[in-house]
């Protein structure tokens, strides 16, 4: 880690009075003392961003692209260091941190490419006689200052999905990382500022508590707020920010449907691969599995057998797939939800207990409605399986959830695949792959309580710009 002390606010790095210890969830050791921001510093960041916004809006495309390509190249050069830092501050297995850095690199590169595609089109205004002789066209203009608030589970990638599209669109951006995981994001912001292609205040970062967040999102001069986190927090931000535009990427309890005609071996592989990566701390990890009744007794043993291969332990080891969760409070909550599901009638197939600080990968069968492990986002290494009579019941059960981010279906039938795409209420429907599949250049977001708006550089740039119509009578 190599950046100045303080926080990147304004043209330099603002000194802070206090710091907070960032700890390694695996053993509680201190990783670093992170600078702690205040509401006053957040207010200053807003003023600095507003001051630089006109210059950002006029900045030529080559300068914005240069900033993003420069940060991309710097991140590539420090790839292994970022991976190690992410393991330490998140406690996430190394394999997942490597994926996160790789995806961040793609996100920066894709946003740089999208700078060249930020344009409008002409409009025929003479559909009415009053428009005869008029020339019309529209362009996209920056929405203004963007506030990006990120979650702890993928701190670098989530920040990149706020910062890179904002820079590409010509918007100053202020990032507030999750309190437990600010370090990799601080370093990314430093790399962007070090390119020298942007005014320093175009990319700022403020850490801190709820008051810091409120100071940022409630300022009516902000153009847009982009938040990734829980549904409850997202709803509160939307209320507090109104009428400012919000882009919300919220929680889920992603479902995977196993049709009777599916390749059951592949489906079982997908459940294990998609249910326990990042220790289950991913909003589109597999949480609910709906399997047609006639293949349930063949499918469950396949699943249980594969559970033996999910390696738990030290996240620094390449073979580890499940490590301790971000903190003790999260661990206690997940185990309580598992106990409540069993008390309500679910069968505990595997797991449901601790092994040291981590939760043993857990598989629950026949989980009933009305329990948190089925209804809410568990955000831990737990997968719930339920049999359904047919695909109609499966799709209806998927849709009864208040969430709708990603879902998937395993089938060999093209008709079933298109029925799922047509009928499942979600931002993305994946066929014969995990619901956790996300390419960072695709539109990504949910419906219902899973959020509003879309990420992915092209689509986030659209969220961070507004159309400006030009009408000319020569």
């Amino acid at each position: 880690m190599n950046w100045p002390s303080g926080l990147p606010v304004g043209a330099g790095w603002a000194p802070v009075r206090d710091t907070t210890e960032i700890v390694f969830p695996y053993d509680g050791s201190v990783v670093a003392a992170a600078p702690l921001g205040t509401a006053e510093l957040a207010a200053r960041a807003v003023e600095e961003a507003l001051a630089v916004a006109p210059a950002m809006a006029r900045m030529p495309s080559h300068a914005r692209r240069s900033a993003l390509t420069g940060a991309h190249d710097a991140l590539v050069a420090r790839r292994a260091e970022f991976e190690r830092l992410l393991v330490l501050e998140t406690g996430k297995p190394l394999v997942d941190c490597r994926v996160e850095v790789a995806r961040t690199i793609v996100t920066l590169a894709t946003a740089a490419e999208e700078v060249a595609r930020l344009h409008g089109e002409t409009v025929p205004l003479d559909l009415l006689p009053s428009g005869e002789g008029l020339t019309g066209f529209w362009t996209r203009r920056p929405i203004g200052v963007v506030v990006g608030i990120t979650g702890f589970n993928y701190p670098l990638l989530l920040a990149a999905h706020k910062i890179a599209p904002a820079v590409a669109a010509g918007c100053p951006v202020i990032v507030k990382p999750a309190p437990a995981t600010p370090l990799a994001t601080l370093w990314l912001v430093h790399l962007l500022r070090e390119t020298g292609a942007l005014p320093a205040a175009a990319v700022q970062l403020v850490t801190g508590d709820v008051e810091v967040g409120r100071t940022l999102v409630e300022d009516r001069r902000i153009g847009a707020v982009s938040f990734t986190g829980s549904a409850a927090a997202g709803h509160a931000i939307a209320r507090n920010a109104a009428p400012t535009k919000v882009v919300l990427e919220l929680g889920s309890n992603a479902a995977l449907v196993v049709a009777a005609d599916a390749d059951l071996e592949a489906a079982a592989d997908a459940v294990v691969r998609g249910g326990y990566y990042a220790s289950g701390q991913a909003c589109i990890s597999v949480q609910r599995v709906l399997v047609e009744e006639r293949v349930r007794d063949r499918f469950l043993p396949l699943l249980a057998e594969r559970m033996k291969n999910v390696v738990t332990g030290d996240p620094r080891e390449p073979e580890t797939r499940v490590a301790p969760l971000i903190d003790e409070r999260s661990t206690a909550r997940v185990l309580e939800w598992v106990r409540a599901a069993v008390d309500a009638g679910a069968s505990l197939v595997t797991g449901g207990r601790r092994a040291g600080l981590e939760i043993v990968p857990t598989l629950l069968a026949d989980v009933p409605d009305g329990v948190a492990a089925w209804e809410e986002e568990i955000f831990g290494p737990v997968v719930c399986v339920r049999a359904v009579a047919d695909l109609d019941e499966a799709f209806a059960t998927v849709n009864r959830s208040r969430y709708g981010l990603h879902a998937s279906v395993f089938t060999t039938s093209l008709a079933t695949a298109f029925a799922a795409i047509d009928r499942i209420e979600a931002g993305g429907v994946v066929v014969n792959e995990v619901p956790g599949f996300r390419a960072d250049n695709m539109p990504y977001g949910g419906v219902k309580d899973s959020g509003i708006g879309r990420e992915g550089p092209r689509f986030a740039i659209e969220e961070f710009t507004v159309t400006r119509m030009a009408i000319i009578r020569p």
Side-chain angles (χ1 to χ4, degrees), residues 257 259 261 292 390-396 398-399 407-426 428-432:
V257 175
D261 64 0
E292 284 201 83
D390 52 32
L391 291 173
D392 286 337
E393 183 183 349
F395 297 156
V398 172
N399 290 341
S408 68
V409 59
F410 273 73
T411 180
T412 56
S413 164
L414 197 57
T416 298
F418 277 98
I421 292 167
D422 183 56
R423 294 169 58 185
I424 290 178
E425 298 165 1
V429 178
V430 187
V431 179
N432 293 332

Side-chain angles (χ1 to χ4, degrees), residues 336-397:
E336 175 54 36
W337 285 15
V338 170
R339 282 192 290 270
V342 172
D343 290 345
S347 300
L348 183 62
V349 180
T350 60
R353 57 182 174 82
R354 291 175 182 263
L357 291 177
E358 62 264 29
I359 297 172
V360 175
T362 299
L363 182 63
L364 294 168
D366 307 318
V367 182
D369 287 333
V371 298
W374 184 265
E375 305 285 350
E376 299 301 326
E377 181 177 43
I378 199 161
F379 230 60
V382 180
V383 172
C384 303
V385 182
R386 180 190 291 182
V388 290
D390 52 32
L391 291 173
D392 286 337
E393 183 183 349
F395 297 156
T397 303

Side-chain angles (χ1 to χ4, degrees), residues 68 103-115 117-118 140 157 160-169 438-444 454-465:
L68 293 167
R103 289 179 57 190
T104 302
I105 290 168
V106 169
T107 299
L108 291 170
T110 304
E113 294 166 2
E114 289 298 331
V115 173
R117 305 186 183 106
L118 186 55
R140 301 201 70 91
L157 179 62
H161 272 289
K162 319 297 186 191
I163 295 169
V167 170
R438 177 185 178 184
D440 292 282
N441 60 334
M442 75 185 199
Y444 177 72
R454 292 295 180 267
E455 289 193 334
R458 170 188 165 187
F459 307 94
I461 289 168
E462 291 179 2
E463 302 283 1
F464 296 161
T465 54

Side-chain angles (χ1 to χ4, degrees), residues 72 83 137 149 189 194 269 300 325-326 354 382 405 428:
H72 167 275
E83 292 168 355
F137 62 91
I149 302 176
V189 167
E194 282 287 285
D269 287 340
L300 264 181
L325 301 186
I326 189 67
R354 291 175 182 263
V382 180
L405 190 48

Side-chain angles (χ1 to χ4, degrees), residues 71-86:
H72 167 275
D73 294 346
L75 178 54
V76 169
R78 295 164 176 82
R79 184 176 196 147
E81 296 170 79
F82 269 93
E83 292 168 355
R84 287 193 294 270
L85 178 57
L86 283 170

